[in-house]
Amino acid sequence: MENYKKVNVIEKPLPLQFSGLPSEVIEMKVKEGSKIRNLLRFAIGKMEGESMRQIVFSGSGKALSKTITCVEIMKRRLNDLHQITKVTFNLTEEIWEPIVPEVGLDTLTVKRNVPAICVLLSKDPLDSTEPGYQAPGSYDTKWLQDLKAESHGQKRRKPGVGRGGGDGRKQTRPHGQRGEAQRKT
């Protein structure tokens, strides 16, 4: 590919994965360069009002983890949100042209299936039989159970004894000797 330069990237629009949603539902399309605080300021402001009952977050490729982060923060800030998650693939086409066209190289089109995610958050109960459904607050009980299991399985260490090899106390040096070798007179 050293003889080619990327000219264009065509990303097919990600179709909305949820059917039967009201027309006023906001879809937050998370991009690679999106700022989480800006997305959440808007989304939380809309969801805190009584008129907005559902919101959809979607992202693909490098924005996948940012999308999940936004959803998790929303669930922590606004309690009692039902969630349905759908994972799909999004078709992306890259068009590459030769750097030196006189050499006889053809234009290349590279098609990729990029992972994508759509998450529906709702204040109203959703279909619990739907694949990817998560009830409100169900993540807390899982984490609490895991933490309890971990704490029972570990032995407590004595204070001050750890990885450093010392006794945990700061070593004192004579005044004025920071790393220099002590002079003998």
Side-chain angles (χ1 to χ4, degrees), residues 65-83:
S65 62
K66 194 173 281 194
T67 306
I68 294 169
T69 300
C70 288
V71 168
E72 292 301 320
I73 292 172
M74 283 282 293
K75 287 173 18 183
R76 300 261 188 248
R77 296 265 173 95
L78 304 170
N79 295 331
D80 300 327
L81 288 179
H82 297 264
Q83 172 184 340

Side-chain angles (χ1 to χ4, degrees), residues 13-170:
L14 190 62
L16 198 57
Q17 300 293 317
F18 304 102
S19 59
L21 290 178
S23 60
E24 68 269 1
V25 169
I26 296 174
E27 182 181 4
M28 302 294 294
K29 295 181 181 179
V30 181
K31 302 287 184 189
E32 180 182 353
S34 299
K35 300 280 186 217
I36 292 176
R37 74 172 166 265
N38 294 341
L39 293 166
L40 289 176
R41 185 178 299 137
F42 179 79
I44 290 172
K46 290 291 186 181
M47 287 294 283
E48 282 179 339
E50 288 300 316
S51 63
M52 190 60 55
R53 306 295 297 167
Q54 296 176 331
I55 192 164
V56 176
F57 280 88
S58 64
S60 65
K62 293 180 180 179
L64 209 62
S65 62
K66 194 173 281 194
T67 306
I68 294 169
T69 300
C70 288
V71 168
E72 292 301 320
I73 292 172
M74 283 282 293
K75 287 173 18 183
R76 300 261 188 248
R77 296 265 173 95
L78 304 170
N79 295 331
D80 300 327
L81 288 179
H82 297 264
Q83 172 184 340
I84 295 180
T85 305
K86 299 216 179 198
V87 178
T88 60
F89 288 94
N90 194 11
L91 183 65
T92 302
E93 292 183 5
E94 297 176 351
I95 300 173
W96 296 75
E97 289 184 351
I99 296 173
V100 183
E102 296 83 30
V103 178
L105 296 173
D106 295 332
T107 300
L108 298 176
T109 301
V110 179
K111 295 181 180 181
R112 297 180 187 201
N113 278 324
V114 180
I117 191 167
C118 283
V119 181
L120 170 65
L121 295 175
S122 175
K123 293 179 182 177
D124 303 323
L126 298 170
D127 183 13
S128 61
T129 60
E130 181 85 24
Y133 174 77
Q134 190 176 60
S138 61
Y139 52 87
D140 284 341
T141 55
K142 170 81 171 110
W143 288 110
L144 289 173
Q145 290 171 355
D146 290 348
L147 284 173
K148 284 181 184 177
E150 277 183 21
S151 65
H152 289 297
Q154 293 180 351
K155 292 183 181 177
R156 293 296 236 167
R157 288 191 283 194
K158 294 178 185 175
V161 179
R163 295 181 184 173
D167 61 358
R169 286 180 269 154
K170 185 176 177 180

